[in-house]
Structure formats: structure tokens, C-alpha cells
Amino acid sequence: MTAIALGRTRRTSLVSTVCALVVAGTGLLAGCSEDPDAGTNGVGKLPADKIQSKTRAAAESAEAVRLAGTVVTNGRTYTLDMRLKSGGGSGSVTSKGVAFGLLRIGEQLYLKAGAEFWNHADGNASAGGTLDGKYVKVPQGDPSYKKFSGFTDKDVLLDGLLTLHGALATDGHHEQAGTRTIRITADKGSGGTLDVSLEGTPYPLRLERAGGAGTLTFSSWGQDFPLTEPKKDETVDYGRKLPTS
């Protein structure tokens, strides 16, 4: 080790020792604390409303995203694991203990579920046997289309989910799946909380909705994925109003 390097090492060790003594003796970091925003994208230093604007803009401009978690709407809880982009989306939804898959390519929406879903929805076993495990085309005029297509629409879903209700404030630095975040809250948390990435693009990473209406995580921002039409022998055109659970 050179004399210069040795000197730097000793100075670093001395500063660390002094900082430790300051913390132990006073409980204060004083000038020894590290800047929590050092090496970040800088949004942690902004007011909460500016952070919200930047993270919404980032989400809107991203080509794709994966979201997972729970959404409570009209008193009903849906557990989602969806990948979304401008041309559609795919993934799974669970409600009342019954899971089903959704696939939308352009305007065409498919619903794929097991016999349990269809039997519960239709009230007879024959529907379950016919539709079990098939991609069922959902007519655009069917109430199910509007009900379920929203889960596959990136813009509609994010616009509704990323809205916080009430006065905004920052609530410290946190971490989500190994990524440093800054948290913003509305009405001290009762109006929802949102963790925003401090690394790279300030994407939203975790959301707690107001009023206990669900918690979601966001990942795979900007990572494209394929949307493939189901094979003909895997598809059923129900041709009329679908049964819904």
C-alpha cells in the first residue's frame, strides 16, 4: 500500500470512529450522516406534489408494466397478477377463491377459467364442462367485457390506481424489493401511500390505496412481452351473453 493510500485509509477510519462516537454519545448524526438522496435520481428532494407528477408521467410513458396485489372495488376483493401494455394485457385474477385468466389483444378479450368458475357463474355443470380450460371470447356488448377488460387496460387501470386522495406529504426514505424509494402520502396515509423509485426513472413501485382498498406492487417497467392469439382448438366463441360470477 502506498503512503497516499495508507493516509486515506487512516483518515477514513478516523472519520468513521468520530462519527460512531458522536452517534453513541448524543444520538445525533450531525455532519457525519450520509445524504439519503446521494446517487439517486433526485426526486426525493422534491415536494410531494412534484414527486407525484413525475411518477405519474413516468408510468404513463412506460411501454409496459407488471402489477400484482389486491384491489377492492364495490366491496369485492380481486387479487391480480397482470402484465400490461398499450396493445392489451394478460394475467390472472382471483375473486372469492376462484381464479381465472384474462387475455386482451387489441379489442378482443378472452377469459380462461376452470369448470369451478363457470359452474358457479352459470349455475349448471354443463357450462363448466364445455368451457373448462378454454379461451372464451367475450363479446364487447356483454357486461363482462366492461367489467374485466379494465384489468387489462394499462392506461385506465393506472390512471385510477395512482390517484391519491387528500393533502400530499413525503414520508421518508424506504425500500421496495431492494430498490430505494421515497414515500408520499395523502392525508397522513388515510388517503393512500405511494413508494416511488429513487433509482433510475421515478416509477411507482408500491401503492397502498385509500380506505384499505388494496395494496399493489409494480415491476418490470418498460419490459415488453408477447401477446399471442390462442389456438383455434383452445378457443370458444360463446356467441351470447356470458355467465358471470
Side-chain angles (χ1 to χ4, degrees):
M1 182 179 291
T2 66
I4 294 176
L6 182 59
R8 287 175 179 169
T9 301
R10 287 174 175 171
R11 283 196 298 271
T12 301
S13 177
L14 178 60
V15 170
S16 298
T17 301
V18 172
C19 285
L21 289 173
V22 171
V23 173
T26 67
L28 300 175
L29 293 178
C32 300
S33 63
E34 294 184 4
D35 180 358
D37 293 300
T40 71
N41 54 26
V43 297
K45 297 181 179 181
L46 300 177
D49 60 333
K50 296 293 185 182
I51 298 173
Q52 184 186 43
S53 296
K54 283 186 172 293
T55 199
R56 287 184 68 94
E60 290 170 3
S61 63
E63 294 184 359
V65 65
R66 180 177 183 175
L67 62 86
T70 59
V71 173
V72 181
T73 179
N74 297 322
R76 188 165 179 175
T77 300
Y78 295 91
T79 301
L80 312 179
D81 188 355
M82 301 293 300
R83 298 198 70 175
L84 310 171
K85 60 182 181 178
S86 59
S90 66
S92 65
V93 181
T94 301
S95 178
K96 294 184 178 180
V98 179
F100 55 94
L102 293 174
L103 169 65
R104 183 175 63 83
I105 304 174
E107 297 299 318
Q108 182 60 65
L109 176 67
Y110 299 91
L111 193 156
K112 183 179 181 180
E116 182 182 7
F117 174 91
W118 296 113
N119 291 343
H120 177 72
D122 197 49
N124 68 78
S126 61
T130 303
L131 306 178
D132 181 22
K134 300 289 186 179
Y135 286 93
V136 179
K137 289 185 176 182
V138 182
Q140 291 189 35
D142 190 279
S144 299
Y145 188 93
K146 183 177 181 181
K147 179 179 180 180
F148 293 132
S149 64
F151 289 138
T152 67
D153 192 313
K154 171 181 173 288
D155 294 336
V156 170
L157 198 56
L158 292 182
D159 184 59
L161 291 175
L162 296 179
T163 299
L164 299 178
H165 303 276
L168 298 177
T170 55
D171 188 29
H173 293 70
H174 300 267
E175 184 178 293
Q176 173 61 34
T179 299
R180 289 179 293 171
T181 66
I182 182 71
R183 181 170 297 169
I184 56 176
T185 67
D187 278 351
K188 299 181 179 180
S190 62
T193 70
L194 184 65
D195 280 32
V196 177
S197 177
L198 287 173
E199 301 177 19
T201 306
Y203 290 124
L205 297 184
R206 185 177 186 275
L207 169 73
E208 288 189 16
R209 301 182 70 203
T215 300
L216 290 162
T217 59
F218 306 89
S219 60
S220 301
W221 285 104
Q223 297 180 21
D224 196 14
F225 60 95
L227 288 172
T228 306
E229 291 276 359
K231 297 178 181 179
K232 288 186 177 181
D233 60 358
E234 298 176 337
T235 306
V236 173
D237 190 343
Y238 203 64
R240 60 186 177 90
K241 182 178 179 181
L242 293 184
T244 58
S245 59

